[in-house]
Structures are given as C-alpha cells and as structure tokens.
Amino acid sequence: MKLTFLGTGTSCGVPVIGCQCKVCQSTDLKDKRMRCSALVETETTRLLIDCGPDFRQQIMSHPFRKIDGILITHSHYDHMGGMDDIRPYCQFGKINVYADPIARESMLQMLPYCFAEHRYPGVPAIGLHEILPHQMLHIGDLDIMPIEVMHGQLPILGYRIGKLAYITDMKTIAESEMSYLEDIELLVVNALRFDNPHHSHQLVDDAIAFARKIKAPRTLLIHMCHDIGLHEEVNRILPEGIELAHDGQAVFL
C-alpha cells in the first residue's frame, strides 16, 4: 500500500497570503504546504482522503486513473471544498464519497446541483454514503475502519486502513477509541504548531504524547501552519520516529 501526501497544511495553506515570515518566504519546497489531503493506493484500489480546495493543483502531477472512493474526515471547507473538481474522474463512473452525517449534510448544502432531480450536464456524479464510527468499510481490496476524534466540540472521523492510521484536525480522542489503533505501523496525525494552544487543534507536544501512548513506531505530522517553523529545522529537533510530512511525500506500507 502506498500513501502519498497531497497536502499537509492548515486551512490557510503555507505560504499564507501576505505573510513575510521566514517560513512563508522559504524557498524550500518542503515549506510549501497545500491543504490536507492524501492518496492511498494499492495495485487495484485508489482512495482519496479529503478533497480540499487545492485538489485540482494537487492531483495534476499524478496518473489519471479511477478514484474508487473519497473518505471525508469532516465538513470544513479546507477538507471538502474541492469536490467540484472531481468532474474529470466521473468519466470512469460515479464516484463514491463517504462522510459522517454532519459532513454529508454539509455536502448536500455545498453542492446542491450535484444532487438535484434534474442535474445540470457535466456536474460531478457523486454517490454519497453516510458512514459512522466503527462500521467497517470495504472498498476494493482495502478495509477501512472509521474512528471518532474530537475537533474541539465537533465529532469528526479518522481512518484506520490496514496498518495505517490517518487522523487530522484532532484536539482530543476518547479512551474507547484506542483499541482501534493497536499495532499500527504508521500514524499520520495533526500538529498545528509548538506554542499558543488552539481550541480545536492539538500542538506538537500533544501529537508526540499521543504517538507514544499508542506506541506508533513511526509518526508523520500533518495539518501544520506556518508558525511551526522551517521543515528541516523542526525535523532535527523532533524525537526519533516522529517527523514532519511534506507535500508530495510517498510512504510504502
């Protein structure tokens, strides 16, 4: 299984428009972060986790082939604002999208023309499926277990896919979810910045503590804002087995 990070940034992306900080002015491509999204691929199955407003730009450098499913983590625009751009992939057939009840309702409101009785020609053909935590999905040759994490007061979904756990925008997680994260090989989890606590996102130290709690042998951090610092400098000070992910990075499990 191959995991490719299409984007590893927060809702504003990096560089932030108009910002003159050292990260936003960096020439290192690893400091350029589009909104969070990832591809999970096997030889026969291709899944997209989230489809944010940068999707068109993110996917252009990847082979044009069928997307078997889109897993939505939650209803915020930076995680599903690019859904209209899946139109070219609908030539392979209707695209199945999986979302919890809150995200499903938001998508119906955001893209009403895709679900109208008389659809405008050319709009995305979406099969929208409501999913719940702990109800296993089977897509192609992949088994996906949705788990629940809290984005502040909003319950959202993370995904366990084989030995991979992909969690973004988490602030807290219930103890009852921990059993779904046993024996993973790779944890992907959000870490906004080092300082200045956020009401709905965990910081780097929170992510490190979580990784150690579930005994993840390798952890890649995502959903980082420009305040986190320069990619290379941060990776030098992170504990062994924990590092910043970057856009375009591919990992094989």
Side-chain angles (χ1 to χ4, degrees), residues 10-205:
T10 53
S11 56
C12 291
V14 182
V16 177
I17 295 173
C19 183
Q20 301 298 313
C21 78
K22 65 179 182 179
V23 176
C24 288
Q25 296 301 308
S26 171
T27 58
D28 185 349
L29 292 179
K30 293 179 181 178
D31 289 316
K32 312 296 183 187
R33 303 186 182 280
M34 290 186 276
R35 270 64 74 92
C36 266
S37 179
L39 278 176
V40 177
E41 300 171 286
T42 67
E43 290 186 1
T44 59
T45 305
R46 192 186 211 195
L47 299 180
L48 178 67
I49 303 178
D50 284 336
C51 185
D54 297 321
F55 172 73
R56 182 184 180 278
Q57 182 179 354
Q58 291 167 335
I59 204 66
M60 289 291 285
S61 60
H62 293 269
F64 182 65
R65 65 183 183 90
K66 182 181 179 182
I67 295 174
D68 296 287
I70 301 177
L71 307 175
I72 299 296
T73 61
H74 63 292
S75 60
H76 291 169
Y77 186 80
D78 56 318
H79 292 268
M80 62 181 205
M83 287 297 303
D84 189 79
D85 289 329
I86 68 172
R87 281 181 288 170
Y89 292 89
C90 294
Q91 65 183 265
F92 300 106
K94 182 179 289 187
I95 296 182
N96 291 310
V97 177
Y98 303 86
D100 71 9
I102 296 173
R104 179 183 181 276
E105 183 61 31
S106 293
M107 192 169 298
L108 291 174
Q109 295 177 17
M110 184 178 75
L111 301 168
Y113 53 89
C114 293
F115 306 102
E117 181 178 355
H118 302 290
R119 296 168 57 247
Y120 188 83
V123 303
I126 297 173
L128 185 55
H129 305 274
E130 183 173 296
I131 60 173
L132 297 172
H134 316 146
Q135 295 184 357
M136 182 76 80
L137 298 174
H138 306 282
I139 304 175
D141 60 352
L142 291 173
D143 297 328
I144 303 108
M145 175 62 74
I147 65 171
E148 183 177 88
V149 303
M150 296 302 296
H151 184 18
Q153 299 300 310
L154 176 69
I156 66 173
L157 295 179
Y159 293 100
R160 166 86 185 249
I161 308 173
K163 295 291 188 177
L164 163 70
Y166 185 99
I167 298 171
T168 186
D169 287 49
M170 178 173 76
K171 178 65 175 181
T172 58
I173 182 171
E175 194 66 33
S176 57
E177 299 297 312
M178 295 303 178
S179 62
Y180 297 99
L181 298 170
E182 292 178 352
D183 302 319
I184 63 168
E185 293 179 2
L186 176 63
L187 169 66
V188 176
V189 70
N190 59 297
L192 186 67
R193 54 192 176 223
F194 281 94
D195 302 310
N196 190 13
H198 191 277
H199 71 280
S200 62
H201 292 272
Q202 63 180 5
L203 303 184
V204 173
D205 284 348

